[in-house]
Amino acid sequence: MGLGVDFRNTIAKRAAEEIHNGMVVNLGIGIPSLVPNHLPKNMMVMFHAENGITGMGPSPEKGMEDENLCNAGGFPVTLNPGGSYCDSTVAFGMIRRGRVDITILGSLQVSAQGDLANWIVPGKKVPGMGGAMELAQKARKVIVLMNHCDKAGNPKIVTSCTLPLTSAACVDMIITELAVFKVTPDGLLLTELFAPYDLQIVANRTECDFMVSDTIRKIAN
Amino acid sequence: MGLGVDFRNTIAKRAAEEIHNGMVVNLGIGIPSLVPNHLPKNMMVMFHAENGITGMGPSPEKGMEDENLCNAGGFPVTLNPGGSYCDSTVAFGMIRRGRVDITILGSLQVSAQGDLANWIVPGKKVPGMGGAMELAQKARKVIVLMNHCDKAGNPKIVTSCTLPLTSAACVDMIITELAVFKVTPDGLLLTELFAPYDLQIVANRTECDFMVSDTIRKIAN
Amino acid sequence: MENPFGKVKTLEKVLEVFYNGMTLMFGGFGGVGSPPTLIDGILEKGIRDITLIGNDTGFPHIGIGKLVSQGRAIKVIASHIGSNPIAGKLMHEGRLEVEFSPQGILAERIRAGGVGLPAILSDIGMENELVSRNKPHFLLNGKDYLIETALTAEVSIVYAKKADPYGNLIYDKSARNTNPLVAMAGDITIAEVEEIVPLGSLDPNEIITPGVFVDHIIPSKGVNWKWAWE
Amino acid sequence: MENPFGKVKTLEKVLEVFYNGMTLMFGGFGGVGSPPTLIDGILEKGIRDITLIGNDTGFPHIGIGKLVSQGRAIKVIASHIGSNPIAGKLMHEGRLEVEFSPQGILAERIRAGGVGLPAILSDIGMENELVSRNKPHFLLNGKDYLIETALTAEVSIVYAKKADPYGNLIYDKSARNTNPLVAMAGDITIAEVEEIVPLGSLDPNEIITPGVFVDHIIPSKGVNWKWAWE
């Protein structure tokens, strides 16, 4: 396994395991957008968009786009049966009321305490937080999908985030191309390893200490 | 002119003159409910109800009632073309945002400063304020329709209300079977008299002092 | 019946969520839009010591008034109780605590609870003891306001015209009233509906309450009380 | 055209309400649901020094982004400007003041303005300088919250699918987004609509924005920009 779509799909496939029938799920851009491809065909999942869609379906075929049916990023989507439209206050009401079961996000850094830093790209202008803070603070479960290290090879799982926080102590689970971590009150707990990686490789590429589960699940690619 | 429906209709007819095409109007129970009968047939007025109706029409014929189409008092109404339904927050949003042009209310007492006391009936239990406070405070124009005196003959237009206030300094106009007053920063100004009453009779039956307009309109019955 | 989300239930099954001493929020305005089958179920199950939250206490034999009249509530948060004299009687006998809130502010407090906001600021009824009692004030831009706290409930019950199996709801005319707000404010929300229609048969633009907020759906047996105007 | 409320206007006529230095609130999310004809009219009339309030600054050539890109705004209150790099450039050059608000809280602030509430309490982004800067705090039941003030505007512009002559509006799919909120928050609200239908032809249960909140209605010439995905 290397860079590219393959490991992205490995991560997305593992994230899909967290989703159960009937859940309300908000997906960020990037790797999270690949998650629906890995769900069982008959599973009923309601994908939520901040602009006011519940029950979002896949992108339409080229030429079938509807300019008035787009996701929060402005790109055309479809609506699944049982879906509905609402205004932005209701869309965020679902989040703050705890009705969004899972949000699956990309991130720049995550700390050992589950602090999330995913809204200011280093070296770029401040773009604004959009809906990231509400999702990070209020979704019932926050799962981060990301490369284990950045392009320069620096660890993204850190003792303390150096980038501005989106929200503190909000992440529940981290999935990278190397491993899966749960965020516990005592710090990170490695629970799974993707083949062919081992604990030493993960430790080398992770800034902070982490605990290791008694039973590590090894996931083949 | 005496007691009964006649003077109630006289008052309602005068109140109807305050309503112009396109206005949003909220009517209280009692004399205010007679106002629509005195509007020109082709005038477009949107009657507003606190439970979430804009464009309320007259009561349906007996046997044609719809249990799911009732006014704020729980009695069957109809809907005029251009009417719509909304939830209670939007109905009160219209009031607080200043989109309700006129509210026409009954009252127990009104003071020379325009204080309104219309929500606690003497000798009865406290029933709660319902939507009266929002309407009194936030409708653009508050018109009170009432008998000039109570059943015991006591003036209802007073120097200072003895009953608990619904809202202070909120009334713009008072219409009784004797006269019409505007509430000004300097106190009440009598602008109109209903035949056959004269200023002396009004003064005798009004507790507070009032100013008299240079030109008094006399309204025949 | 098609039930892919497992939300469609029997009355018997949903009655398991009600218990003595609970906080119960109900949709409806003067009984219009209140769920008759759920109210009767709660009555028959003998649930008591309820804290009720809703627009009003209905009429003695209409809507939530049935529960109030039979002494099942220990507290009510409402905008008025005038149409139910038994509520007033119980209040004056000290058997029913009543917290009054101006109608539109009550609706906003319920909505705030429903969308996960802790409170709103208000200038309604500030000088009135009944409204302002025990409420914190806040000075914003030189003007004094009340902090009106959000309301939620352990269980919310609403009445709708149609639901699909996901719990997407549409309401009928003025029976909408407080229902969409109450539907959001329950930790658990139960919708009693006139009709359950197949998934995908409701126009997604017309849905008022997204099913996200609805946990259980039961078919209604319809209004079984005599209206005041009848 | 049937126009019993006098609300249906020409573009030329409604452009009279816009002026330099005004506060302008707009519906839309990434350009979707923003009113193209009004935006072009404002551009062509040369209106400048605008304070803009809305979800985001669109894309450089899409939605409200057109006004921002041409330097017509002096201030923006939004949740993000990332999709319009020109907005970021102007901000860093000190030519555009930007106030950021978390997306859902921004929507609630607009709604609060629309329903005549002065402020809401929020716990979103409290530790973030960009969110909490200059905002008052309030301690409620031992927990600290921000006071997030309501937003209104001198003029609001929205985009809808259909209007009747009273200004009752229905929206199309996700083009609803912030439009119903913005429609309530304007001192004057102008709806640009794809279609004007006769009074009484909209189902009163389906109307999302009651015409009470709408002052002027103009027919849309349709979206005239190329979407990012095209």
Side-chain angles (χ1 to χ4, degrees), chain B residues 65-100:
Chain B
E65 298 94 347
D66 180 337
E67 64 180 5
N68 287 341
L69 179 44
C70 292
N71 63 19
F75 283 81
V77 293
T78 51
L79 193 78
N80 287 331
S84 62
Y85 305 107
C86 61
D87 71 43
S88 302
T89 60
V90 175
F92 279 91
M94 295 174 185
I95 298 169
R96 287 191 308 267
R97 188 69 179 99
R99 292 285 189 172
V100 171

Side-chain angles (χ1 to χ4, degrees), chain B residues 138-172:
Chain B
K138 300 294 183 180
R140 298 177 80 87
K141 186 170 187 174
V142 176
I143 303 177
V144 168
L145 311 189
M146 63 180 187
N147 297 0
H148 207 90
C149 296
D150 66 20
K151 283 174 187 165
N154 300 310
K156 294 172 71 171
I157 303 176
V158 294
T159 306
S160 180
C161 293
T162 54
L163 296 169
L165 293 191
T166 307
S167 182
C170 63
V171 176
D172 296 286

Side-chain angles (χ1 to χ4, degrees), chain D residues 17-191:
Chain D
V17 310
F18 298 93
Y19 51 92
N20 296 339
M22 74 184 305
T23 304
L24 177 65
M25 198 181 277
F26 59 96
F29 199 112
V32 177
S34 290
T37 306
L38 284 166
I39 290 168
D40 279 2
I42 296 165
L43 261 178
E44 281 159 27
K45 204 185 168 187
I47 304 297
R48 55 181 169 73
D49 301 336
I50 307 170
T51 294
L52 286 174
I53 305 172
N55 183 69
D56 60 83
T57 49
F59 295 81
H61 304 291
I62 293 175
I64 210 72
K66 287 181 165 189
L67 283 171
V68 175
S69 304
Q70 297 203 21
R72 300 298 182 80
I74 51 167
K75 181 174 176 181
V76 170
I77 303 176
S79 71
H80 74 87
I81 60 170
S83 53
N84 189 339
I86 299 174
K89 183 170 173 289
L90 291 169
M91 178 174 76
H92 282 274
E93 292 171 1
R95 292 162 63 195
L96 178 66
E97 182 187 350
V98 181
E99 177 186 330
F100 288 113
S101 198
Q103 202 157 57
I105 296 303
L106 179 69
E108 286 289 341
R109 292 175 68 192
I110 292 171
R111 181 190 175 277
V115 299
L117 295 175
I120 56 169
L121 269 66
S122 162
D123 64 350
I124 302 295
M126 298 216 43
E127 301 112 18
N128 193 290
E129 228 293 284
L130 209 62
V131 176
S132 64
R133 184 169 49 201
N134 301 328
K135 286 182 185 162
H137 287 240
F138 189 82
L139 201 69
L140 182 67
N141 301 326
K143 197 165 176 292
D144 190 32
Y145 296 101
L146 292 177
I147 303 278
E148 293 274 9
T149 53
L151 295 168
T152 59
E154 286 155 347
V155 178
S156 279
I157 56 173
V158 300
Y159 189 52
K161 183 186 174 76
K162 291 184 186 178
D164 67 21
Y166 187 55
N168 290 310
L169 304 180
I170 64 169
Y171 303 94
D172 188 31
K173 308 185 193 78
S174 71
R176 183 185 306 185
N177 55 64
T178 63
N179 276 298
L181 318 164
V182 169
M184 298 192 290
D187 294 341
I188 296 171
T189 292
I190 308 172

